[in-house]
Amino acid sequence: AQHWQRTLDFLEVATEAFPAYLAQTGRTTRATRATRLLQDEAERVVQGRMRRPIVIAGIANLSAQTRPLVEAVTRFKLGALVLPGLDRDLDDAAWETLGVAHPEHPQSGLADVLRAVGVMRDDVRALATLNAAEDRYDGQAARVRLLSEAMRPAASTGAWQGFAERSDPDEIDAALAGISLLNAATAQDEADAVAIALREALETPGQTAALVTPDRTLARRVSARLAAWNIAIDDSAGRPLLKTVPGTFLDLILACFDNNFSPRTVAALLKHPLTRLGLSIGAVRRAAGALELLAFRQVYLGSGLDAIRASLSRASVSPVGDSTIVHRAVARLNDEDRAAAEALLTELAAATVPLREIEQVGAAVPLRSLVRAHLEVAEALSRREDDGEASESFSGQDLWRGEAGEAAADILAELLEEDSADVPIVAADYPAIFRALIGGQVVRPRRPLHPRLAILGPLEARLQTADLIVLAGLNDGKWPRLANPDPWINRPMRADVGLPAPERRIGLAAHDFVQLAAAPRVILTRADRVDGTPTVPSRWLMRLEAVLRGVDRVVALEADPSAGEAWLAWSELAGRVAEHRPIGVPRPRPPVALRPRRMSVTRVESWLANPYSVFARSILKLSPLDPLEAAPDASIRGRIIHEAVHRFTVQYPGALPDAAADRLVEIADDILTAYVAHPRVAAFWRPRLRRFADWFAQTEAVRREGVARMLTEVEGSRTVSAPAGDFTLTARADRIDAGAGGAIIYDYKSGTAPSVAQVTSGVSPQLPLEAAIAEVGGFAGLEAGPVQRLVYISAGGGTPAGEERWITKASPDELAAKSLGSLSALVAQYDDPATDYRAVRRGQFAGAYRYDDYAHLARVAEWSVAEGGDE
């Protein structure tokens, strides 16, 4: 198959190119060097050149590289092999099955070691200790026998019945003394309980405790919970360099180039604590905030620093329409803020020149050049106010201080000095290469953060001991990890070339578990659900529970509340409230003097649908910012259509021009100039505008018949009497055609137009309220008089391309009177100080809630569930 051939071609890097490179340069790999050193050491032992004792201690598995040395040492008269945790209790029949048949067994690796050196298990002597009595605890032998029985090979688990029959209850109790099982509902509960258990250990003077887990997420959660009590705990796994302050800073620089200086990455870089650009902290943060408001919190067009500069020049002024649309937050910025934003962008452009110059070249350059340019950009960006010009590499800047900073400096220095730094690469590949090179780097504290607490991985725990051992994350797939099938080589092939079975890793993990579970004081923990997903208990826990179930001792594993070990209960108490009083629907009642006395016809529908939105917008003066990298959305498309039709009507108020559709498209193209760089506009908006223009040109002549004058985008208002004083209703009508029979009011909709039923029922009162304004001559240039017709024009450009919807179930004057009366009643209702601007959800206004910018402030998702849904 072709994909296999491509894979083989790629693997030639390892099978041909890399060996050829090693032969040409006379180099070798670290693995090859280590293998040769082991072979040389084995030859020294075999040839009798060693005169001192040799001890190989702690080996639980045998590899092809270590086997010659292990065999040589066991035959050396001054040699000794120390096997950790050799199981002397497992019967001989089961022992003989270990190795190839049961690689997942904790003793499988040790069985292979003994077979390799030709030593029987009975010939291995127990290692005497200087303080044997102190090193053992009551019940240790019983605990070891219980764990041995629980880990018995699957083929011999039938012996569990015999174990139950011959076991001594007192011995089982002794084995279980000091071991507890903590079964939490969620991973968060597990972390809370483990943190409390470790915190409790500190109450005993001199007592030590260690959390052992391969689950780094769980370890971080426990560390965070202990930090709440000002307990800094040492995690032996360290912290990934890319997650540290210097690491994220170096990565964000490359992210800007990866994403061509997109607003998200630039905003993140400018807000990073190391970004200074020669300014004070306050100055750079204020300038970054102003730049974000002016350039990033609007529709983003184009890419690169030039696009940011163009957005900044627009200063959040909409290119659509005659009136400017400026956000309140932007309006509060002064000239000094705008100048600071421009200066910050200039400094950013200057600081990133080294990498941008290499990127513009396009050709491959040595890796060293890219690393040096990366370094120069990082130091220019992190240059403090008192640093003057950019300093020499690896200066005393904040970027290189501390453990993480020094680790980053060491890695960059190593990349600059390596011979591989001369390898030519394309600048576009550098971010991925850099992340791959430092992805495995971790930062560890120079000294233990707490003298009596630690977080360890299973490997580090082999060399540590503590009074209390917490074995956490005991879920199958996490501890042990599943034996994933090898996509390159199957099991028989692995055996033919001498590679171990995938389950061998499970056996080594099981050996660590048994060793740790034999400690005097042990807590075993797991969670029923992790990130909402049900879990399966670790196979070791299920084996242990199966054995204990046969002797009626499973309950003995549970934490004993009377002994002060109910960590889960304590965790629950920490988050429990004495009385649960759910917060209901917000019911703000501001003073009448603060309530709006002026509102547009489009906002009246929002007032009816959700009064809380009026409170948030008109009284609290809250308005949402556009998201970063906002794409042109439906609202902008609607404004473009409105503006295009408005300009067309103004230019051709009488007879339609020849090729009217082409002329309308030309006008729309002029407006679309600011948005042509966006792919959505080119792919979807232009074709839709073309289809709508064709439909509009075909139907416009009929609409103009009998029309004496057309008004477009015309402002109007009408005063409504109310208890607290006059209330002004305002409107901006898309189009009003004046004729002998009365006015025809049009409203263009780029989306779905309201149905006739919604208009006549009062759910969508916009056009009827505009009719009420028109009747009294409230629109500029329109005399008072009757309204002949209310019409919605759908301008979506889809199927159909356009559509007229006449409101015919009731006459315009009837609808106007009804809507005006409803508005008067609504204003009078809210002129009552007792009336609240309640957040509601009514089924007939479902469409309005899709654009509710204040749902999160009203906590709609919370009270909707508490109160059972819609009202």
Side-chain angles (χ1 to χ4, degrees):
Q2 292 184 1
H3 70 280
W4 280 112
Q5 187 58 50
R6 286 194 296 267
T7 301
L8 291 175
D9 294 342
F10 174 75
L11 289 178
E12 288 181 358
V13 173
T15 59
E16 298 181 11
F18 187 56
Y21 168 78
L22 294 177
Q24 180 182 359
T25 59
R27 293 171 175 251
T28 187
T29 64
R30 293 181 179 179
T32 302
R33 180 176 181 273
T35 300
R36 290 177 181 173
L37 289 175
L38 289 172
Q39 292 173 346
D40 293 343
E41 197 70 8
E43 290 178 4
R44 292 178 60 198
V45 175
V46 171
Q47 294 173 4
R49 290 184 287 161
M50 299 296 293
R51 296 292 184 267
R52 293 176 296 178
I54 304 176
V55 177
I56 298 179
I59 186 169
N61 188 36
L62 202 60
S63 65
Q65 291 79 11
T66 58
R67 181 167 183 161
L69 180 60
V70 172
E71 292 178 345
V73 170
T74 54
R75 290 173 175 80
F76 181 48
K77 62 180 180 179
L78 296 179
L81 180 62
V82 181
L83 303 177
L86 182 65
D87 189 351
R88 294 172 171 274
D89 298 308
L90 187 63
D91 59 87
D92 293 338
W95 177 266
E96 293 301 323
T97 65
L98 301 183
V100 178
H102 292 287
E104 78 286 349
H105 193 275
Q107 296 289 310
S108 181
L110 294 176
D112 286 343
V113 172
L114 291 179
R115 292 191 188 99
V117 300
V119 176
M120 301 299 293
R121 181 175 55 152
D122 293 339
D123 296 333
V124 179
R125 294 180 298 166
L127 181 65
T129 62
L130 295 177
N131 300 299
E134 296 180 7
D135 290 343
R136 298 177 68 86
Y137 58 91
D138 294 340
Q140 184 186 48
R143 175 86 62 80
V144 171
R145 284 192 292 271
L146 174 62
L147 292 171
S148 173
E149 192 65 30
M151 294 296 182
R152 175 179 290 277
S156 63
T157 51
W160 283 347
Q161 183 175 0
F163 174 77
E165 294 173 352
R166 67 176 181 271
S167 61
D168 182 3
D170 294 337
E171 182 180 359
I172 297 296
D173 292 339
L176 294 177
I179 185 170
S180 301
L181 174 64
L182 191 153
N183 212 1
T186 66
Q188 290 84 353
D189 294 335
E190 181 184 11
D192 286 339
V194 170
I196 291 174
L198 296 178
R199 175 67 179 83
E200 182 196 17
L202 297 180
E203 296 298 315
T204 303
Q207 187 177 33
T208 59
L211 165 63
V212 181
T213 180
D215 188 344
R216 304 320 314 159
T217 301
L218 176 62
R220 287 193 292 269
R221 283 173 173 163
V222 173
S223 178
R225 281 153 177 76
L226 287 173
W229 297 316
N230 295 323
I231 299 175
I233 189 170
D234 183 18
D235 187 351
S236 64
R239 188 179 183 188
L241 179 58
L242 282 174
K243 299 295 184 182
T244 63
V245 173
T248 56
F249 181 69
L250 294 172
D251 186 62
L252 277 173
I253 294 172
L254 299 182
C256 287
F257 286 87
D258 250 352
N259 297 277
N260 201 5
F261 289 89
S262 69
R264 290 182 183 274
T265 54
V266 173
L269 179 62
L270 293 178
K271 292 181 179 180
H272 194 280
L274 286 177
T275 300
R276 299 290 290 274
L277 288 168
L279 303 171
S280 66
I281 293 178
V284 73
R285 296 296 174 266
R286 181 173 180 177
L291 181 62
E292 178 179 333
L293 288 174
L294 292 168
F296 298 160
R297 295 288 182 176
Q298 59 174 302
V299 175
Y300 185 67
L301 306 168
S303 59
L305 291 174
D306 291 338
I308 297 177
R309 193 170 287 107
S311 295
L312 183 59
S313 65
R314 289 197 299 269
S316 292
V317 177
S318 172
V320 179
D322 297 331
S323 63
T324 59
I325 302 173
V326 182
H327 194 276
R328 289 192 182 99
V330 177
R332 286 195 292 266
L333 298 177
N334 54 35
D335 293 340
E336 183 181 347
D337 293 323
R338 295 172 183 269
E342 294 175 358
L344 185 67
L345 183 59
T346 301
E347 290 291 337
L348 175 65
T352 54
V353 164
L355 276 174
R356 287 193 291 117
E357 286 181 344
I358 295 178
E359 188 178 44
Q360 291 170 1
V361 171
V365 297
L367 176 61
R368 179 181 287 105
S369 299
L370 283 162
V371 174
R372 191 173 299 281
H374 190 188
L375 171 63
E376 292 174 2
V377 171
E379 291 212 330
L381 287 169
S382 62
R383 179 170 52 88
R384 295 172 301 182
E385 184 180 17
D386 54 354
D387 284 341
E389 297 298 325
S391 53
E392 295 297 325
S393 300
F394 308 116
S395 66
Q397 293 185 2
D398 293 340
L399 174 59
W400 312 119
R401 289 176 181 167
E403 297 161 351
E406 292 178 6
D410 290 342
I411 292 173
L412 289 174
E414 184 178 352
L415 290 177
L416 288 171
E417 296 171 0
E418 288 282 349
D419 291 343
S420 58
D422 294 325
V423 176
I425 64 171
V426 180
D429 295 335
Y430 174 67
I433 293 174
F434 178 80
R435 293 179 184 121
L437 290 173
I438 72 171
Q441 302 292 330
V442 297
V443 178
R444 294 183 174 87
R446 295 190 182 96
R447 62 188 65 85
L449 299 178
H450 197 284
R452 293 198 282 145
L453 296 182
I455 297 178
L456 306 171
L459 182 63
E460 294 85 3
R462 296 178 186 177
L463 303 176
Q464 305 288 334
T465 184
D467 299 322
L468 172 65
I469 299 291
V470 181
L471 306 182
L474 286 168
N475 289 322
D476 225 40
K478 182 63 70 174
W479 201 8
R481 297 189 181 277
L482 300 178
N484 294 324
D486 194 326
W488 304 103
I489 183 171
N490 58 28
R491 292 175 182 274
M493 294 171 65
R494 292 181 67 92
D496 290 343
V497 299
L499 293 175
E503 289 79 10
R504 176 54 60 89
R505 291 184 178 272
I506 296 179
L508 294 174
H511 184 270
D512 291 335
F513 171 77
V514 171
Q515 291 289 93
L516 293 166
R521 185 72 185 91
V522 181
I523 303 174
L524 311 175
T525 77
R526 63 170 298 270
D528 292 332
R529 303 180 74 89
V530 175
D531 296 332
T533 303
T535 61
V536 177
S538 172
R539 61 194 68 185
W540 307 323
L541 283 183
M542 290 192 288
R543 281 173 162 269
L544 184 59
E545 291 180 357
V547 172
L548 294 177
R549 192 173 291 109
V551 294
D552 296 328
R553 287 296 188 279
V554 174
V555 70
L557 279 177
E558 301 294 339
D560 181 10
S562 64
E565 298 172 350
W567 306 286
L568 280 174
W570 290 348
S571 173
E572 182 182 356
L573 286 173
R576 182 183 298 176
V577 293
E579 181 182 358
H580 178 58
R581 292 184 298 174
I583 302 297
V585 179
R587 302 171 181 268
R589 296 183 179 88
V592 175
L594 298 179
R595 302 189 181 196
R597 308 308 302 169
R598 184 183 187 90
M599 188 171 294
S600 68
V601 293
T602 55
R603 290 291 297 157
V604 170
E605 182 174 343
S606 299
W607 195 2
L608 293 169
N610 184 14
Y612 185 86
S613 66
V614 174
F615 168 74
R617 178 171 178 172
S618 300
I619 299 175
L620 296 183
K621 308 298 183 183
L622 300 177
S623 55
L625 288 170
D626 289 332
L628 291 172
E629 296 184 41
D633 58 9
S635 64
I636 294 178
R637 186 163 66 93
R639 294 208 300 269
I640 291 173
I641 292 174
H642 282 70
E643 182 65 16
V645 177
H646 165 65
R647 293 184 187 181
F648 179 86
T649 305
V650 171
Q651 293 180 23
Y652 304 101
L656 293 176
D658 295 334
D662 294 338
R663 183 58 191 136
L664 180 58
V665 171
E666 291 175 4
I667 294 173
D669 282 343
D670 291 339
I671 304 171
L672 282 170
T673 302
Y675 300 98
V676 292
H678 200 281
R680 179 182 298 178
V681 173
F684 298 104
W685 289 15
R686 283 178 177 272
R688 284 178 172 268
L689 280 170
R690 177 77 241 187
R691 288 194 290 269
F692 169 71
D694 291 338
W695 175 88
F696 183 83
Q698 294 171 7
T699 59
E700 179 64 6
V702 176
R703 283 189 291 273
R704 295 194 179 193
E705 290 179 358
V707 175
R709 186 172 71 262
M710 289 188 298
L711 305 174
T712 65
E713 301 296 330
V714 58
E715 302 283 349
S717 64
R718 179 170 180 172
T719 301
V720 177
S721 298
D726 290 344
F727 183 92
T728 302
L729 177 68
T730 65
R732 184 184 178 92
D734 292 344
R735 171 177 170 180
I736 300 177
D737 290 354
I744 301 176
I745 302 177
Y746 292 95
D747 188 64
Y748 297 108
K749 293 293 184 185
S750 58
T752 303
S755 66
V756 174
Q758 288 175 319
V759 175
T760 55
S761 66
V763 172
S764 298
Q766 177 183 346
L767 281 184
L769 289 176
E770 289 183 5
I773 297 174
E775 287 177 346
V776 297
F779 285 106
L782 182 69
E783 297 81 6
V787 175
Q788 179 182 354
R789 191 180 305 137
L790 303 177
V791 183
Y792 282 107
I793 295 181
S794 296
T799 304
E803 181 183 11
E804 282 190 9
R805 179 171 295 172
W806 294 10
I807 309 303
T808 58
K809 282 190 176 182
S811 63
D813 58 337
E814 292 175 346
L815 292 175
K818 178 182 177 181
S819 297
L820 193 61
S822 298
L823 175 64
S824 298
L826 184 65
V827 175
Q829 177 185 355
Y830 280 88
D831 280 350
D832 181 358
T835 302
D836 55 63
Y837 287 85
R838 187 179 186 185
V840 295
R841 286 296 186 270
R842 301 187 179 102
Q844 65 267 38
F845 294 102
Y849 301 135
R850 289 180 298 175
Y851 306 102
D852 183 6
D853 294 319
Y854 307 101
H856 62 297
L857 298 180
R859 298 178 176 269
V860 170
E862 299 167 26
W863 58 255
S864 293
V865 174
E867 297 196 357
D870 295 346
E871 296 190 3

